[in-house]
């Protein structure tokens, strides 16, 4: 049996899966990125090396990376496939759910919508410039209210009268929420209002002018939050499906893409125990001043990102 | 000693240099070629500009500041059909009143037309003995040179996907751009055109079918590689066939002639012009659909009103023809990762559709 690895290095969390030839997940892991993608990937790989049997580790044929740190981590671990998270999510979801038409994805710093018709992506959109209405917003506001993210669901269910919170912008939403708290609204109503605000923000940004058709699949870290799922159900008036691996579908997708692009040689899943230094420098080759990212493995220059000509990257 | 400079867009600075080099009085006047746009230029421009102004304003004023800092004391600027028409006036005010630069500002435009008589008068400070005949003669050559540059770079752009080694064609492009600085007669232009076309034709050996992507939108983002995160170059390097209509010679020489044609092409969606190149974005997208292109990428800088006008119409077209169009707005962004992610996903989507 051949095995394939997919790693999705997101802004908040790093996800990894190992799949077999039939796309079954044989191992998976979900850890925090903590703003240090290299450390997180090291940790993730070490966990896999402990968790997986020798049979699996010796028969890995491809490694794919996706997520916002895909290029950096891809170069460091020698990934065979490096692809954007939009494609990875679409492929991952379609492998689990053949008849999906709409994918709603809300992660730590971004949110996207992917529309699928007959197994082909026909439209997608991703939030630009601003992270309003994403996981980061939910978790920071929950912290302000002294509520664990995991408990949001419980509070949502308790709420009888959710407050209305402006959804367009996180900064306004926050001042709105403080105001509502100061005039004595209950905590559960505030939290329910927050969940609704995330959904409002999402529909304002993405749903406008698009046809949401069944089947709707909701994924990404925020989909684990039943409060937001319920709010989506109410808003879209549709059944919302959440896969049990909804937080891993990006990693699953990239593993499947890596599988289709795999060659006949084995690769090793390993991150050397050396210090990786990243330096972002302006290239001095000409007046263009390209920003080049130099990746050093110890003292040795491993690779560069952002180099545009033969003069640079030295 | 007068040192003359001008803001840059793409590689067109070379054509301007060629023109100025032939008309200035070389004993009393020097040309300072503007550097290509880069982060530093953008930063300089950002500091000097009002926050909400469109991005090309920031690039051009940044380029001027950079030249002034390097010794220029005469600056030439153009104008155009949208907010661009007021760039010169506002930039002159900012540079002189806010930043206290002491220099001569030559604005070649009045309203949104070239003010020829006034321009001639003003340009005389570069060479007091300049006669109208000389200017007309050199201007004719420059326009031919501009047409040549656009012809050959468009030819390269349209055909790069059929070349086996992309570096070969890039080498030729470099040679051409070096030549642009020195060409001095119509005869030379004709000879070079033949020579380079033959050289390029020799390289076109790859006959595979390629994904075809059109690029439409605002002129500055289209023609200046840095301001669109090198979109065109990246697509060419990945081997896709790309098409863009907007070039300087189109804007200066052909645009006014083809106004009626463009409006007719877009007649199902537009009854009148929507300013600057907005109408073209719509008409050209329809043309690309007819020509069997796989997708269109629409780019614009932040705050570009004509292209904002075009966007809802393009969305309607995308629905009507179920044709993929990607939109992106550039501002003074420092990281192009987000843009690349979207382009990559867009191309994946086109490839998936192609396979089905």
């Amino acid at each position: 049996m051949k095995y394939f690895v997919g790693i999705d290095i997101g802004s908040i969390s790093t996800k990894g899966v190992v799949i077999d030839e039939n796309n079954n997940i044989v191992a998976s892991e979900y850890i925090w990125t903590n703003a240090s993608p290299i450390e997180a990937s090291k940790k993730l790989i070490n966990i896999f090396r402990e968790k997986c049997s020798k049979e699996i580790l010796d028969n890995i044929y491809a490694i794919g990376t996706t997520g916002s740190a895909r290029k950096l981590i891809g170069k460091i671990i020698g990934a065979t496939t490096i692809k954007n998270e939009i494609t990875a999510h679409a492929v991952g979801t379609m492998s689990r759910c053949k008849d999906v038409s709409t994918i709603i994805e809300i992660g730590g710093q971004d949110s996207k919508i992917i529309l699928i018709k007959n197994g082909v992506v026909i439209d997608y959109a991703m939030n630009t410039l601003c992270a309003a209405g994403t996981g980061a917003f939910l978790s920071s506001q929950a912290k302000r209210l002294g509520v664990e993210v995991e408990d949001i669901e419980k509070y949502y269910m308790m709420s009888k009268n959710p407050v209305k919170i402006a959804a367009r912008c996180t900064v306004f939403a926050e001042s709105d929420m403080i105001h509502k708290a100061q005039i004595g609204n209950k905590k559960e109503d505030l939290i329910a209002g927050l969940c609704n605000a995330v959904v409002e923000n999402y529909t304002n940004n993405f749903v406008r002018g698009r046809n949401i058709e069944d089947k709707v699949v909701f994924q990404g870290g925020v989909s684990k939050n039943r409060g937001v799922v319920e709010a989506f159900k109410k808003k879209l008036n549709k059944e919302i499906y959440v896969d049990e691996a909804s937080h891993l579908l990006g990693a699953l997708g990239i593993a499947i893409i890596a599988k289709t692009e795999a060659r006949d040689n084995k690769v090793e899943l390993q991150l050397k125990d050396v210090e990786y230094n990243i330096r972002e420098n302006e290239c001095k080759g000409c007046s263009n001043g390209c920003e080049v990212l130099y990746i050093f493995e110890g003292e040795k220059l491993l690779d560069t990102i952002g180099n545009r000509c033969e003069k640079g990257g030295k | 000693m007068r040192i003359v400079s001008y803001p840059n867009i793409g590689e067109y600075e070379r054509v301007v240099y060629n023109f100025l080099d032939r008309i200035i009085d070389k004993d009393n006047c020097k040309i300072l070629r503007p550097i290509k746009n880069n982060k530093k230029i953008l930063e300089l421009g950002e500091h000097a500009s009002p926050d909400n102004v469109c991005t090309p304003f920031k690039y051009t004023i940044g380029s001027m500041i950079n030249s002034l800092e390097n010794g220029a004391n005469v600056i030439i600027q153009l104008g155009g059909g949208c907010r661009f028409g007021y760039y010169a006036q506002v930039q002159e005010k900012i540079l002189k009143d806010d930043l206290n630069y002491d220099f001569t500002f030559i604005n070649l435009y009045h309203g949104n037309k070239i003010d020829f008589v006034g321009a001639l008068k003003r340009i005389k400070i570069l060479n007091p003995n300049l006669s109208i005949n000389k200017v007309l003669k050199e201007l004719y050559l420059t326009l031919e040179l501009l047409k040549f540059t656009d012809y050959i770079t468009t030819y390269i752009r349209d055909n790069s996907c059929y070349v086996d080694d992309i570096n070969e064609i890039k080498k030729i492009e470099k040679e051409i751009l070096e030549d642009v600085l020195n060409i001095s007669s119509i005869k030379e232009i004709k000879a070079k055109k033949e020579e380079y076309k033959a050289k390029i034709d020799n390289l076109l050996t790859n006959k595979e079918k390629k994904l075809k992507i059109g690029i439409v939108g605002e002129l500055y983002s289209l023609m200046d590689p840095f301001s669109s995160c090198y979109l065109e170059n990246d697509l060419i390097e990945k081997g896709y066939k790309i098409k863009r209509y907007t070039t300087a010679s189109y804007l200066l020489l052909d645009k006014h002639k083809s106004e009626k044609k463009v409006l007719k092409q877009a007649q199902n969606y537009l009854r009148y012009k929507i300013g600057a190149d907005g109408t073209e974005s719509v008409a050209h997208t329809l043309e690309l659909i007819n020509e069997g292109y796989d997708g269109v990428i629409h780019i614009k800088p932040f705050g570009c009103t004509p292209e904002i006008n075009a966007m809802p119409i393009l969305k309607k077209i995308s629905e009507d023809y179920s044709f993929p169009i990607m939109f992106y707005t550039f501002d003074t962004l420092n990281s192009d990762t987000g843009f690349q992610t979207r382009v990559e996903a867009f191309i994946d989507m086109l490839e998936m559709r192609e396979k089905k």
Side-chain angles (χ1 to χ4, degrees):
Chain A
M1 194 65 128
K2 292 177 179 177
Y3 295 92
F4 311 92
V5 180
I7 303 177
D8 177 359
I9 313 101
S11 58
I12 304 288
S13 59
T14 299
K15 288 80 68 178
V17 297
V18 181
I19 59 167
D20 62 15
E21 283 168 46
N22 304 320
N23 299 348
N24 298 316
I25 298 177
V26 293
S28 71
E29 199 54 53
Y30 183 99
I31 58 174
W32 300 118
T33 308
N34 288 335
S36 143
I38 297 176
E39 285 310 308
S41 316
K42 244 184 212 173
K43 202 170 146 196
L44 187 86
I45 286 173
N46 285 337
I47 294 174
F48 275 148
R49 292 193 70 82
E50 277 167 28
K51 218 160 125 178
C52 297
S53 64
K54 196 169 176 325
E55 209 256 292
I56 293 177
L57 288 174
D58 285 346
N59 285 300
I60 291 170
Y61 279 79
I63 305 173
T65 55
T66 187
S68 38
R70 63 182 180 279
K71 281 192 187 150
L72 174 68
I73 303 301
K75 300 236 159 161
I76 290 178
I77 62 175
T80 50
T81 299
I82 302 175
K83 259 252 174 334
N84 65 81
E85 53 271 32
I86 299 171
T87 312
H89 272 286
V91 171
T93 313
M94 281 191 276
S95 78
R96 304 277 286 199
C97 177
K98 293 264 178 306
D99 53 346
V100 56
S101 297
T102 309
I103 301 175
I104 296 172
E105 204 264 352
I106 305 185
Q109 284 289 344
D110 66 6
S111 47
K112 37 187 142 354
I113 188 165
I114 306 173
L115 300 183
I116 294 168
K117 208 173 194 172
N118 305 326
V120 178
V121 176
I122 53 160
D123 193 9
Y124 71 87
M126 196 170 170
N127 61 338
T128 44
L129 301 170
C130 170
T134 60
F137 166 67
L138 262 186
S139 70
S140 72
Q141 295 312 316
K143 201 183 251 168
R144 171 181 283 281
L145 291 170
V147 172
E148 291 295 318
V149 182
E150 292 80 2
D151 295 336
I152 290 181
E153 179 184 346
K154 198 177 77 199
Y155 281 100
Y156 184 88
M157 297 303 176
M158 270 159 57
S159 164
K160 298 239 159 45
N161 186 21
V163 300
K164 197 140 180 46
I165 290 174
R168 178 53 83 193
C169 163
T170 305
V171 179
F172 288 141
E174 179 164 327
S175 35
D176 234 20
M177 207 197 65
I178 294 171
H179 166 70
K180 299 270 155 120
Q182 296 301 75
I183 58 172
N185 279 300
K186 290 198 190 107
K187 205 177 249 183
E188 60 259 32
D189 292 338
L190 289 171
I191 298 225
L194 270 183
C195 294
N196 289 338
V198 169
V199 172
E200 279 300 321
N201 182 287
Y202 187 90
T203 45
N204 283 346
N205 268 334
F206 298 124
V207 177
R208 214 173 17 181
R210 288 192 172 87
N211 253 343
I212 304 293
E213 280 170 39
D214 285 324
K215 179 178 189 178
V216 184
V217 175
F218 180 23
Q219 63 197 46
V222 175
S223 68
K224 289 284 163 197
N225 184 332
R226 290 297 306 173
V228 180
V229 179
E230 292 302 321
F232 259 118
K233 271 186 193 161
K234 250 184 231 159
K235 177 78 192 176
L236 297 177
N237 206 5
K238 277 196 184 335
E239 193 55 40
I240 308 276
Y241 294 86
V242 179
D243 195 286
E244 55 175 328
S246 67
H247 57 304
L248 297 171
L249 289 177
L252 175 65
I254 194 66
I256 295 172
I257 297 170
K259 185 183 93 178
T260 52
E261 291 179 2
R263 303 231 179 103
D264 270 345
N265 37 350
K266 291 180 187 177
V267 286
E268 200 174 354
L269 180 64
Q270 200 178 25
L271 232 175
K272 282 182 220 157
D273 198 25
V274 275
E275 185 100 2
Y276 286 95
N277 288 312
I278 313 299
R279 225 172 291 152
E280 194 171 10
N281 264 341
E282 208 167 274
C283 174
K284 299 273 184 279
C286 66
S287 66
N288 284 10
C290 296
E291 201 119 296
V292 182
L293 201 67
Y294 297 84
I295 309 170
F296 288 94
E297 187 184 87
E299 292 295 307
K300 197 181 99 210
L301 180 64
L302 186 72
D303 212 334
T304 59
I305 299 177
N307 186 27
R308 297 195 176 274
C309 67
E310 69 275 11
K311 275 185 199 154
K314 302 255 161 59
Chain B
M1 190 74 168
R2 298 200 188 276
I3 301 174
V4 58
S5 191
Y6 41 91
N8 186 23
I9 171 166
E11 298 287 357
Y12 288 115
E13 145 311 281
R14 291 162 189 269
V15 180
V16 183
Y17 171 83
N18 183 308
F19 174 68
L20 289 176
D21 190 47
R22 281 180 283 114
I23 63 158
I24 56 166
D25 166 18
K26 288 201 173 131
D27 298 330
N28 299 310
C29 188
K30 257 193 345 196
I31 306 169
L32 179 71
R33 282 175 61 190
I35 62 168
K36 280 187 204 165
N37 281 333
N38 59 26
K39 257 189 156 167
K40 190 184 145 210
I41 298 271
L42 188 55
E43 250 164 51
L44 287 172
E46 226 183 321
H47 284 303
S49 310
D51 242 2
N52 282 330
V53 77
C54 33
T55 325
F57 184 95
K58 298 177 185 171
Y59 282 111
T60 44
I61 199 170
S63 176
M64 290 174 188
I65 295 173
N66 187 59
S67 301
L68 289 168
E69 284 295 324
N70 286 310
N73 51 25
V74 180
I75 298 276
I76 303 176
Q77 169 67 307
L78 290 172
C82 52
R83 244 191 270 183
F84 186 24
Y86 300 106
Y87 273 21
Q89 286 84 346
V90 180
Q91 285 171 334
E92 183 177 8
K93 269 244 167 287
I94 291 176
L95 292 172
K96 286 186 174 164
D97 296 355
D98 267 9
L99 303 174
N100 296 322
Y101 286 110
D102 183 19
F103 67 104
T104 313
F105 196 89
I106 304 180
N107 177 11
L108 298 181
Y109 267 60
H110 189 79
N112 55 29
K113 283 204 180 68
I114 292 188
D115 160 28
F116 198 76
V117 183
L120 187 69
K121 229 183 261 166
R122 270 165 268 162
I123 215 156
K124 270 200 165 167
I125 95 166
L126 304 177
N127 184 355
N129 302 323
L130 203 61
S131 71
I132 194 154
N133 279 343
K134 167 91 172 155
V135 174
L136 285 177
K137 189 179 144 241
E138 301 300 357
L139 199 59
Y140 175 66
L141 177 59
T142 300
L143 291 179
E144 287 300 313
L145 182 66
L146 186 67
K147 277 198 249 172
F148 160 75
T149 319
D150 275 337
Y151 172 81
I152 209 88
T153 48
T154 306
Y155 196 68
I156 289 179
R157 195 165 47 238
D158 287 354
N159 290 301
S160 281
C161 61
Y162 302 119
V163 174
D164 284 314
D165 183 3
I166 192 83
N167 291 323
E168 293 288 321
I169 207 159
K170 279 201 170 155
K171 240 186 258 163
I172 296 182
E173 193 170 12
K174 242 184 212 164
E175 276 174 44
I176 295 168
L177 292 175
E178 275 314 300
D179 278 349
V180 169
L181 291 174
N182 305 316
I183 284 178
S184 59
S185 73
I186 302 276
K187 218 172 120 193
E188 212 181 330
I189 291 177
K190 275 190 184 141
K192 291 277 179 198
K193 196 166 160 180
E194 297 299 316
E195 180 195 330
Y196 282 123
K197 192 164 175 292
K199 262 192 192 173
I200 296 164
D201 283 339
N202 265 338
L203 294 173
L204 307 181
T205 44
N206 187 332
K207 294 277 182 273
E208 278 168 48
K209 197 165 171 256
K210 305 283 181 171
L211 206 61
K212 295 193 282 184
I213 302 164
I215 308 178
V216 299
E218 187 270 344
L219 68 99
Y220 200 91
S221 324
L222 285 172
M223 298 197 294
D224 190 78
F226 179 80
S227 63
S228 64
C229 298
Y230 302 92
L231 166 68
E232 220 170 76
N233 197 29
D234 284 354
L235 293 179
I236 288 176
E237 274 183 8
K238 283 180 187 143
Y240 304 117
K241 179 165 173 59
I242 64 165
K243 173 125 185 157
R244 110 156 111 86
Y245 294 88
T246 311
T247 58
S249 47
Y250 172 78
L251 293 170
L252 290 173
L253 305 169
D254 300 333
K255 188 176 155 73
H256 64 280
K257 281 187 261 172
S258 57
E259 253 168 20
K260 273 198 182 134
K261 187 188 139 212
V262 165
L263 211 49
K264 199 168 171 221
Q265 271 180 321
Q267 63 183 355
N268 289 342
Y269 293 92
L270 283 176
R271 259 179 290 168
Y272 43 83
K273 289 186 286 178
I274 52 174
D277 300 336
T279 328
E280 267 98 340
S281 290
V282 174
H284 289 154
T285 303
L286 289 166
E287 197 172 322
L288 289 164
I289 295 174
N290 274 336
E291 283 179 20
Y293 271 69
D294 296 295
V296 160
I297 300 179
H298 177 266
I299 53 176
K300 72 172 213 309
F302 176 73
C304 175
T305 320
E307 295 304 328
I308 292 175
N309 289 340
M311 276 168 70
I313 304 161
L314 290 176
K315 279 186 185 149
K316 182 86 171 64
I317 293 175
S318 168
E319 252 171 54
D320 289 355
Y321 290 83
S322 67
F323 182 77
I325 301 179
M326 177 189 146
F327 298 92
Y328 200 82
T329 300
F330 291 100
D331 195 20
T332 48
L333 278 174
N334 279 326
S335 157
D336 46 9
T337 319
F339 176 59
Q340 279 165 0
T341 301
R342 286 167 181 83
V343 173
E344 225 185 284
F346 184 70
I347 288 169
D348 283 342
M349 181 170 101
L350 299 185
E351 276 172 348
M352 249 196 240
R353 289 167 72 110
E354 180 77 13
K355 270 184 211 147
K356 280 274 160 168

